[in-house]
Amino acid sequence: KQEVTQIPAALSVPEGENLVLNCSFTDSAIYNLQWFRQDPGKGLTSLLLIQSSQREQTSGRLNASLDKSSGRSTLYIAASQPGDSATYLCAVYQAGTALIFGKGTTLSVSS
Amino acid sequence: DTGVSQNPRHKITKRGQNVTFRCDPISEHNRLYWYRQTLGQGPEFLTYFQNEAQLEKSRLLSDRFSAERPKGSFSTLEIQRTEQGDSAMYLCASSLGGSLYEQYFGPGTRLTVT
């Protein structure tokens, strides 16, 4: 059974710092991996989608990498801002189950 | 592209009542997914549709839950005889296809069962 783990569960950083969020998964038979952002009480906003054949994707200050063989992905956020404060969720797509999510990392960026 | 919409945004109901939620996907998206999220957890997959066909159901989808997508457009999720354990955020997502495409989520429906 696929399990997705995100470390750390919570992270507090000062504005301007670069940071890395980690995601690991137990079954490498995935089709893709998607990173989301969720603000309190809101739905999910898609940040990046990495296909299983890709190694990384970039969007603005965000860069996500995927190492399928080791079951790991990282989300790198450059020059963090208070507006980046949210919960970041990682999810893997497998046949028959759609997306399987981790519990998320709650990020707080202080000004 | 107006995004995925869900109604109602909030629903408070008494235990034992039936509730129905609606999801309107992004137009031309043929895949529609339902997820459930409880506090402090990531969303959990419930079911999905390819056009009007319901292709997969999670073991979480007990016989009190039913979902439909008539004509492959909007979808409804009904919960019969609600229980306090059904209290959660119910999220809908849509995509152009399967694994190659991003899923876009709606704002969710927050259900509280008293």
Side-chain angles (χ1 to χ4, degrees), chain A:
Chain A
K1 178 189 170 190
Q2 178 74 270
E3 291 185 5
V4 180
T5 303
Q6 292 188 246
I7 294 174
L11 182 63
S12 292
V13 299
E15 182 176 8
E17 197 160 295
N18 301 326
L19 57 101
V20 174
L21 307 181
N22 296 292
C23 171
S24 61
F25 47 95
T26 55
D27 184 349
S28 62
I30 64 170
Y31 288 104
N32 66 44
L33 184 144
Q34 203 167 346
W35 282 94
F36 294 89
R37 168 187 173 135
Q38 186 172 33
D39 293 293
K42 306 291 185 183
L44 279 64
T45 300
S46 178
L47 298 174
L48 290 163
L49 170 72
I50 310 177
Q51 299 294 342
S52 61
S53 59
Q54 296 175 322
R55 299 285 291 184
E56 66 179 86
Q57 284 286 339
T58 298
S59 176
R61 295 182 293 109
L62 305 179
N63 176 276
S65 68
L66 174 63
D67 184 341
K68 202 174 114 170
S69 60
S70 68
R72 294 179 187 276
S73 176
T74 61
L75 179 67
Y76 174 83
I77 303 177
S80 58
Q81 303 170 358
D84 294 331
S85 298
T87 295
Y88 290 81
L89 293 157
C90 154
V92 297
Y93 189 102
Q94 281 192 291
T97 57
L99 288 173
I100 301 173
F101 285 83
K103 293 184 179 181
T105 294
T106 299
L107 173 66
S108 176
V109 182
S110 56
S111 56

Side-chain angles (χ1 to χ4, degrees), chain A residues 32 38 46 51 93 103, chain B residues 31 37 41 45 99-100 102:
Chain A
N32 66 44
Q38 186 172 33
S46 178
Q51 299 294 342
Y93 189 102
K103 293 184 179 181
Chain B
R31 284 244 177 148
Q37 186 178 27
Q41 303 295 314
F45 167 71
S99 61
L100 294 179
E102 287 179 81

Side-chain angles (χ1 to χ4, degrees), chain B residues 32-90:
Chain B
L32 187 148
Y33 303 83
W34 285 99
Y35 295 85
R36 182 175 71 184
Q37 186 178 27
T38 53
L39 201 62
Q41 303 295 314
E44 295 174 290
F45 167 71
L46 292 177
T47 188
Y48 82 84
F49 294 83
Q50 173 84 23
N51 300 313
E52 66 275 11
Q54 188 173 16
L55 296 187
E56 293 287 347
K57 292 187 212 180
S58 159
R59 60 175 177 77
L60 294 176
L61 212 68
S62 75
D63 56 6
R64 297 185 298 105
F65 288 69
S66 63
E68 293 183 340
R69 193 183 182 195
K71 303 178 183 177
S73 56
F74 70 92
S75 175
T76 58
L77 178 68
E78 181 183 15
I79 308 174
Q80 296 183 326
R81 305 180 303 281
T82 52
E83 302 172 355
Q84 287 190 320
D86 297 331
S87 295
M89 175 80 90
Y90 289 84

